């Protein structure tokens, strides 16, 4: 956004303070004003050369917007060189779009001056400096009503891309919850079955959470897992208490 | 002073921002506050260091201009930071084009304006007012009452008309142009 | 009013704290400000909604007590805060989809929502409720009790069901509290 002050390496006295320019359009306007050329009949070749000379002094990394404009200028310059048929009403001046943007931008710059002046004038007046502390110090009430929230929800729905409508986002596993549940069972009973561990109406997520919790607890030697036969019901047994260290 | 005028005076003094007619009216439900407001205004229009100013669709007591420097020098109050040219450019575009999306601002300025717009949102000078149609339903921005406040404007009508600018130009919205 | 009295009036109004005699004197070096201060004080001692009060640290304009309550009731001192559309959208997603991670919110809204979510956390409307599985074990957010309070809801079941929401935003798994 901001750029350092650049000095022409040839020392030709050409100093461009890039902070002065808020973008490539601003720089273009500056060149146009300096050359006192007609903005609606832009000498594109000349301006392009000048523009390139200036941005040549810029680091590329900070000049993407300027480079884009340089490319545009060169393209317009090339288009201007194309032959056009006499009396061709359809011919559109390749500079038209750029000129439109420059005029528009010039208008913005004028508004900037107006706004800047208005802000300066306003800054000469002070409002009340002292703000009384709120009586019981409740912060300003936050206003949300249900309609606002539902309106927002509807906007969100409108935004959801089609394929997302049925996308199932997995609920995160709750290993901590499962571990707590198993520890409670261990405290109550020496052995219990897998179906007791996982609980009634278990979802896939519950099953996975419980399974991971069991493995973790087995690793920590809090319990042992056993099956009497392959695919048989799993039995969870409390591990014998360890000797105190 | 009329009792209601004194109440308004107190309320306007206490607030550190402009109060709208509606807000002032809520102090005395069912009463017409206009005469009382006029009374306060007339009183301070005269021989006072502060005056009642119509600003940001409301009313606010402000110090008279001639004391600004002295008060600032004594460091009793600070002038607000000046807005950068980039911020003013962005504000100008948003003020005139609102509601307007970031891409359009970028296009008019010829540079990426995201960071500047974020700052302006942070300072409460612009806000998202709606979403546009079309791809991605872009957020559209408009100016806030604080924008009017820092510029000392009564309302958006106080902004110069585009026709009044020396670079007179038809409204440049491409969408408005006939095919 | 004496010119110096007007200056004092303006300075006392603009200052964010009481001003001592010494501070006030710095506005007009070499002059005796006492008469001017007396003038301002006498002026506001009369028929006004505010008065110039000497408090421990100096002089300050304050609202007269009889108006203070009415003004406080009107809550002028603080603007009621409202949430931006972006914040509301984010809140809606989190309310209907909790617990939900930032990436998913980003994906649904199509824009980066980190800053908005931070603000919502700051305002106490959402909080981290757990961590998800998977890469980096993302923080998952849910709404807070004060979210329900502000909306006047008993619990999350009180949130109205929306036909589309039940498809698009319903919690993907049935609530499954362990017995």
């Amino acid at each position: 956004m901001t750029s350092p002050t650049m000095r022409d390496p040839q020392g030709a006295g050409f100093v461009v303070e890039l902070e002065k320019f808020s973008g490539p359009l601003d720089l273009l306007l500056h060149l146009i004003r300096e050359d006192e050329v007609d903005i609606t009949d832009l000498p594109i070749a000349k301006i392009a050369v000048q523009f390139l000379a200036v941005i040549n002094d810029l680091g590329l990394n900070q000049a993407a917007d300027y480079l884009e404009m340089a490319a545009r200028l060169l393209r317009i310059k090339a288009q201007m060189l194309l032959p056009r048929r006499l009396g061709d009403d359809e011919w559109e001046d390749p500079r038209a779009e750029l000129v439109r943007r420059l005029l528009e931008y010039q208008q913005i710059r004028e508004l900037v001056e107006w706004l800047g002046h208005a802000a300066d004038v306003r800054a000469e007046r002070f409002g009340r400096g002292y703000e009384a502390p709120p009586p019981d110090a409740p912060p300003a009430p936050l206003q949300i009503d249900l309609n606002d929230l539902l309106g927002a929800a509807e906007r969100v729905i409108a935004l959801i891309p089609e394929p997302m409508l049925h996308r199932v986002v997995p609920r995160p596993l709750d290993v901590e919850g499962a571990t707590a549940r198993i520890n409670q069972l261990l405290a109550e009973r020496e052995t219990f079955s897998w179906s007791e561990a996982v609980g009634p109406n278990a979802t896939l997520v519950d099953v996975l959470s419980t399974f991971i919790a069991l493995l973790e607890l087995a690793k920590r030697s809090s319990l042992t897992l056993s099956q009497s036969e392959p695919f048989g019901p799993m039995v969870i047994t409390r591990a014998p208490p360890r000797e105190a260290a | 002073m009329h009792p209601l005028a004194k109440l308004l005076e107190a309320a306007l003094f206490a607030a550190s921002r402009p109060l709208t007619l509606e807000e002032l009216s809520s102090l005395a439900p069912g009463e017409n506050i206009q005469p009382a407001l006029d009374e306060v205004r007339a009183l301070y229009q005269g021989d006072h260091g502060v005056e009642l100013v119509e600003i940001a669709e409301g009313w606010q007591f402000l110090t008279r201009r001639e004391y600004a420097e002295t008060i600032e020098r004594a460091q009793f109050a600070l002038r607000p930071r000046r807005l950068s040219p980039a911020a003013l450019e962005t504000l100008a575009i948003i003020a005139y084009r609102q509601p307007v999306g970031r891409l359009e601002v970028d296009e008019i300025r010829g540079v990426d304006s995201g960071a500047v717009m974020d700052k302006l949102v942070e300072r409460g000078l612009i806000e998202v007012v709606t979403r546009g149609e079309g791809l991605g339903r872009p957020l559209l921005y408009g100016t806030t009452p604080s924008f009017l406040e820092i510029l000392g404007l009564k309302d958006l009508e106080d902004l110069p008309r585009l026709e009044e600018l020396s670079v007179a130009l038809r409204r440049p919205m491409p969408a408005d142009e006939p095919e």
Side-chain angles (χ1 to χ4, degrees), chain A, chain B:
Chain A
M1 213 170 60
T2 50
S3 321
T5 301
M6 302 304 294
R7 224 164 260 282
D8 180 33
Q10 275 89 53
F14 175 68
V15 177
V16 181
E17 280 177 56
L18 274 156
E19 281 139 357
K20 276 198 336 207
F21 301 110
S22 46
L25 290 167
D26 198 20
L27 173 54
L28 269 182
L29 275 186
H30 172 78
L31 295 174
I32 289 165
R33 232 174 278 131
E34 245 181 12
D35 289 356
E36 295 178 354
V37 296
D38 182 1
I39 200 169
T40 56
D41 188 21
L42 216 53
I44 201 84
K46 185 180 171 196
I47 291 289
V49 168
Q50 290 177 338
F51 188 88
L52 283 169
V54 174
I55 70 158
N56 202 28
D57 290 340
L58 287 175
L60 297 187
N61 52 345
Q62 58 201 11
D65 298 317
Y66 291 84
L67 286 178
E68 197 191 317
M69 177 59 73
R72 189 187 299 260
L73 290 173
L74 294 176
R75 197 162 61 240
I76 296 170
K77 185 178 151 194
Q79 282 168 343
M80 294 289 284
L81 295 174
L82 292 175
R84 71 180 129 135
R85 279 169 290 154
L86 276 177
D88 187 348
D89 289 339
E90 296 293 294
W91 186 77
E92 202 191 320
D93 192 329
R95 298 170 300 182
E97 167 68 8
L98 181 62
V99 167
R100 182 192 68 77
R101 284 185 65 189
L102 280 169
L103 287 172
E104 185 179 68
Y105 185 72
Q106 205 173 7
Q107 200 177 44
I108 296 298
R109 294 301 301 180
E110 202 175 333
L111 289 170
V112 164
E113 249 168 66
W114 193 93
L115 294 180
H117 178 71
D120 284 348
V121 169
R122 168 63 185 86
E124 288 175 3
R125 294 161 169 273
F126 297 111
R128 179 84 195 272
Y130 172 73
E131 278 188 52
D136 297 308
L142 187 57
Q143 286 185 357
I144 317 175
D145 60 48
L146 214 42
N147 284 333
D148 291 344
L149 188 75
L150 293 181
E154 267 161 4
R155 290 201 301 277
V156 169
I157 291 164
L159 279 176
I160 296 175
E162 218 37 57
M164 284 227 18
L165 280 177
H166 302 290
R167 209 178 69 122
V168 174
V169 175
R171 188 183 169 81
L173 298 182
D174 184 12
V175 179
E176 274 156 21
T179 307
R181 203 168 57 237
I182 292 161
N183 277 330
Q184 201 184 332
L185 283 168
L186 283 174
E188 287 164 15
R189 276 181 285 163
E190 190 157 348
T191 67
F192 50 94
S193 68
W194 159 258
S195 56
E196 287 169 301
V198 79
N201 307 322
T203 64
L204 178 62
V205 171
D206 293 337
V207 171
L208 288 173
S209 304
T210 307
F211 193 61
I212 291 170
L214 284 173
L215 290 178
E216 187 62 33
L217 288 170
K219 204 172 86 187
R220 284 194 238 144
S221 312
S222 302
L223 53 79
T224 57
L225 299 169
S226 57
Q227 272 174 309
S228 54
E229 55 182 323
F231 305 109
M234 183 158 51
V235 176
I236 297 109
T237 311
R238 187 200 296 156
R242 273 180 274 176
E243 283 95 35
Chain B
M1 287 175 85
H2 189 278
L4 189 48
K6 286 198 277 186
L7 174 58
L8 295 187
E9 182 194 31
L12 287 160
F13 240 81
S16 51
R17 62 178 179 89
L19 299 180
T20 62
L21 265 187
E22 202 185 351
E23 288 174 310
L24 290 170
S25 296
S26 75
L27 287 167
E31 285 187 68
N32 176 16
I33 59 155
Q34 195 60 56
L37 185 63
D38 290 343
E39 187 186 341
V40 178
R41 194 185 176 193
L43 184 66
Y44 283 91
Q45 215 152 32
D47 198 29
H48 274 277
V50 294
E51 62 189 322
L52 190 55
V53 179
E54 189 174 10
I55 184 173
E57 291 167 344
W59 294 87
Q60 184 177 20
F61 273 118
L62 294 175
T63 59
R64 280 181 195 274
R65 243 170 237 136
E66 54 258 50
Y67 305 117
E69 234 173 274
T70 315
I71 292 172
E72 203 187 16
R73 210 175 327 114
Q75 300 191 330
F76 296 151
L78 288 175
R79 287 192 212 209
R81 265 183 310 140
R82 292 187 68 160
L83 290 163
S84 70
L88 283 171
E89 262 184 43
T90 308
L91 275 178
I93 293 165
I94 293 170
Y96 280 84
R97 290 287 178 87
Q98 55 188 311
V100 60
R102 198 185 126 182
L103 276 184
E104 198 180 338
V105 176
D106 285 354
E107 215 231 5
I108 295 172
R109 292 192 59 222
V111 289
D112 181 285
S113 304
V116 180
M117 286 175 72
D118 288 347
K119 272 266 168 61
L120 292 173
V121 168
E122 216 172 87
R123 284 188 68 173
L125 299 177
I126 62 171
E127 63 188 351
V128 173
V129 289
T130 178
R131 271 181 185 273
E133 295 299 315
L135 196 69
R137 310 210 55 214
L139 299 171
L140 299 185
Y141 295 80
T143 53
T144 64
S146 299
F147 164 79
L148 297 172
E149 221 176 299
I150 64 148
L151 292 180
L153 304 179
K154 276 208 291 281
D155 50 42
L156 287 173
E157 300 292 309
D158 263 7
L159 287 170
R161 294 172 164 281
L162 291 184
E163 302 88 74
E164 289 165 5
L165 300 175
S166 58
V167 197
L169 186 68
R170 69 206 178 292
R171 238 188 134 230
M173 289 280 282
D176 286 351
E177 272 161 16
E179 300 301 302

